[in-house]
Amino acid sequence: MTIKIAPSILAGDYAHMGETVKKLQDNGADYVHCDVMDGNFVPPITFGAQMIEHIRPYTSLPLDCHLMVLDPVSRVEDFVRAGADIITVHAEACKDGLLGALKHIKSFGIKAGAVVNPETSEEALFSAAEIADMLLIMSVHPGWGGQKFITESLGKIERLRNYCVKIGRPGLDIEVDGGVTADNAASVRAAGANVIVAGSAVFRSANMRATIEALRGE
Ligand code: DX5
Ligand code: ZN
């Protein structure tokens, strides 16, 4: 499977986010991971659809929007209009309507993702696996960059990949998010994740291109 690297702009320069995403593209990133936080689903507040609108002209890379927000369905259209290519919503925030949320996102002709927090079983994504374009396993508790990778995430990724194979979607994108570095990326890939989010590892690196390549296993 193609390994895709999605640096998270949570660790980027908020005063120069256009230049930040251009730099990511210039250094070989595959996606721009946009961590949207509402101060309710998670304590911090980061940015909303307007940030997506403003960075859109600076990159042709897919904008991979991770909505850490309550009632994400009500926010979808704003992010679609702003230029999001992928919108990922939390199973925990869509209590009884994850499939409906995914269908709503897909109705705009963009990709739909579903995500679970570390304390939520990967089984909460099994129904979504039938229609989602991407599944996301949080390998840190959402809200902050720079945290330590939760090693139990590897088993979740493996079980989720095995489930995708079982239902006849072996190539479904599985993204992992949080605490991934060049040191643990090989185990993340081996477990079955093929889309890797990295914030600190990319933005703290002295050589962004080399770090992105290392995360990809090159
Ligand atoms: C946390 C975010 C992650 C985080 C990753 O809520 O969803 O994307 O920014 O950052 P690092 O790679 O620094 O753990
Ligand atoms: Zn994220």
Side-chain angles (χ1 to χ4, degrees):
M1 290 185 72
T2 311
I3 304 294
K4 292 173 265 195
I5 306 305
S8 164
I9 59 171
L10 182 66
D13 177 353
Y14 284 62
H16 304 94
M17 203 55 99
E19 295 81 354
T20 294
V21 299
K22 182 179 180 315
K23 187 178 175 190
L24 291 177
Q25 180 158 2
D26 293 347
N27 284 278
D30 298 289
Y31 289 170
V32 174
H33 186 80
C34 305
D35 281 313
V36 179
M37 301 181 191
D38 66 357
N40 287 300
F41 184 74
V42 290
I45 295 175
T46 53
F47 48 78
Q50 207 162 7
M51 174 65 88
I52 307 307
E53 185 186 341
H54 283 213
I55 64 175
R56 181 70 279 177
Y58 285 84
T59 181
S60 58
L61 294 179
L63 298 181
D64 167 28
C65 295
H66 173 193
L67 300 192
M68 288 164 275
V69 302
L70 292 180
D71 187 15
V73 172
S74 68
R75 307 292 184 178
V76 167
E77 187 159 0
D78 286 350
F79 282 87
V80 173
R81 290 185 190 286
D85 298 282
I86 307 168
I87 293 178
T88 299
V89 294
H90 272 263
E92 299 88 353
C94 301
K95 287 272 177 276
D96 51 0
L98 183 54
L99 287 181
L102 296 175
K103 287 172 187 166
H104 180 61
I105 296 165
K106 290 171 78 81
S107 73
F108 291 100
I110 67 164
K111 289 186 175 181
V115 44
V116 287
N117 285 331
E119 61 275 11
T120 305
S121 165
E122 69 280 358
E123 294 182 10
L125 296 178
F126 282 5
S127 60
E130 302 286 347
I131 65 167
D133 299 294
M134 183 168 76
L135 301 175
L136 170 50
I137 295 285
M138 289 302 295
S139 40
V140 295
H141 294 287
W144 295 270
Q147 300 176 75
K148 193 173 172 330
F149 182 85
I150 298 171
T151 46
E152 289 75 10
S153 312
L154 295 173
K156 290 178 76 170
I157 294 165
E158 201 166 339
R159 290 189 296 273
L160 189 57
R161 177 59 71 197
N162 291 340
Y163 183 79
C164 292
V165 170
K166 195 174 110 189
I167 64 167
R169 299 197 75 194
L172 180 56
D173 282 344
I174 294 180
E175 186 173 48
V176 63
D177 185 0
V180 182
T181 68
D183 295 334
N184 61 25
S187 55
V188 162
R189 297 192 305 267
N194 71 300
V195 186
I196 293 177
V197 175
S200 316
V202 170
F203 284 100
R204 289 181 186 162
S205 166
N207 184 333
M208 187 179 271
R209 175 172 289 279
T211 299
I212 289 172
E213 289 170 355
L215 290 166
R216 202 181 277 124
E218 292 171 348

